Amino acid sequence: EFRRVLFRSGAARRLGGRDAITLRDVEFLRPLVIDDRGKSVVQLFLDSEHAKFDIYAATAGRDPGWVRHATGAISTPMSSRPADGELDRLRERCSVALSAEHFYAQWRRRGLAYGAAFRGITELYLGEGEALAAVGPIPAIDVRGYELHPAMLDSVFQLLAAAGKRELSSDDCLFLPTRIEEIRLYRPAGPFVWAHCKLTNCGEAAV
């Protein structure tokens, strides 16, 4: 839900401007549990003076008790877009094809069954400690109004498991994203993206 709020078109650009923007030091401080006890309200607070944002949530009622769940900063990218031919170079390094059906079947065997909106990987190629994937289009979602639809971002996160196929081979090994160092947004992603993941550090408690 935090990603849905943040990546709505116009939200981040209120601080970053109309051109390319960078989200930096994004931290997911605590999960927002959705259950039947009450309606949750999520708000995005933008600090224009310091180019920072915070996302708060509360259960609707007389005393909502707002809790901060995520935080980060927004700036203009200092570097240029990826160079031409970068995708071809990644394809050369990630040359082992793995079907998306097989990838998600592996998750089901671990007890994690993704719904139609979160099975976004359509092509998957593995390298040594890295992975390349085509994400989308996903018929179950509508990407209009988003810089990057949160379901597509979730599918990008799934590449961690593909890139670390050997290192993260234990059946009881499950990682959740808690921090994003940087995301550069040059334009709304639309219904299809190529995603690349390369592991730089892999330990028992963190990747």
Side-chain angles (χ1 to χ4, degrees):
E1 190 64 30
F2 311 139
R3 285 169 280 177
R4 184 179 300 276
V5 172
L6 182 58
F7 285 103
R8 275 286 188 183
S9 290
R13 293 191 184 277
R14 293 177 191 174
L15 297 182
R18 294 184 178 181
D19 297 325
I21 59 173
T22 295
L23 304 180
R24 295 183 292 103
D25 302 324
V26 180
E27 293 189 64
F28 305 114
L29 303 174
R30 51 180 55 84
L32 174 61
V33 179
I34 305 295
D35 53 31
D36 297 330
R37 291 180 293 180
K39 181 180 179 181
S40 294
V41 180
V42 180
Q43 290 195 12
L44 171 66
F45 290 86
L46 299 174
D47 180 350
S48 58
E49 181 179 355
H50 300 96
K52 294 183 177 181
F53 65 87
D54 294 285
I55 298 178
Y56 288 81
T59 300
R62 292 183 179 180
D63 184 14
W66 293 98
V67 176
R68 189 172 67 153
H69 288 263
T71 185
I74 301 174
S75 64
T76 301
M78 298 299 294
S79 59
S80 60
R81 299 173 184 239
D84 293 339
E86 181 66 17
L87 181 58
D88 292 334
R89 287 188 287 270
L90 292 175
R91 282 173 168 170
E92 290 179 1
R93 298 208 310 260
C94 302
S95 57
V96 180
L98 181 69
S99 72
E101 292 77 9
H102 181 71
F103 176 72
Y104 287 113
Q106 289 180 322
W107 282 111
R108 284 195 298 271
R109 286 194 291 270
R110 290 185 176 189
L112 188 58
Y114 285 103
F118 294 95
R119 295 195 299 271
I121 293 177
T122 54
E123 297 180 40
L124 180 58
Y125 306 93
L126 307 181
E128 189 64 35
E130 61 183 328
L132 177 69
V135 177
I138 307 174
I141 66 173
D142 184 356
V143 303
R144 290 175 296 181
Y146 289 95
E147 298 287 340
L148 176 62
H149 195 283
M152 295 185 67
L153 181 59
D154 191 272
S155 294
V156 172
F157 284 146
Q158 294 166 17
L159 275 184
L160 282 170
K165 185 175 177 58
R166 296 177 182 174
E167 293 85 350
L168 310 179
S169 59
S170 174
D171 288 340
D172 59 356
C173 188
L174 179 63
F175 289 86
L176 296 175
T178 60
R179 187 177 187 274
I180 302 173
E181 181 177 341
E182 182 178 279
I183 295 181
R184 298 173 191 168
L185 300 171
Y186 295 100
R187 60 179 176 82
F192 172 85
V193 297
W194 281 99
H196 172 243
C197 174
K198 183 175 183 179
L199 295 184
T200 58
N201 182 44
C202 185
E204 293 183 0
V207 175

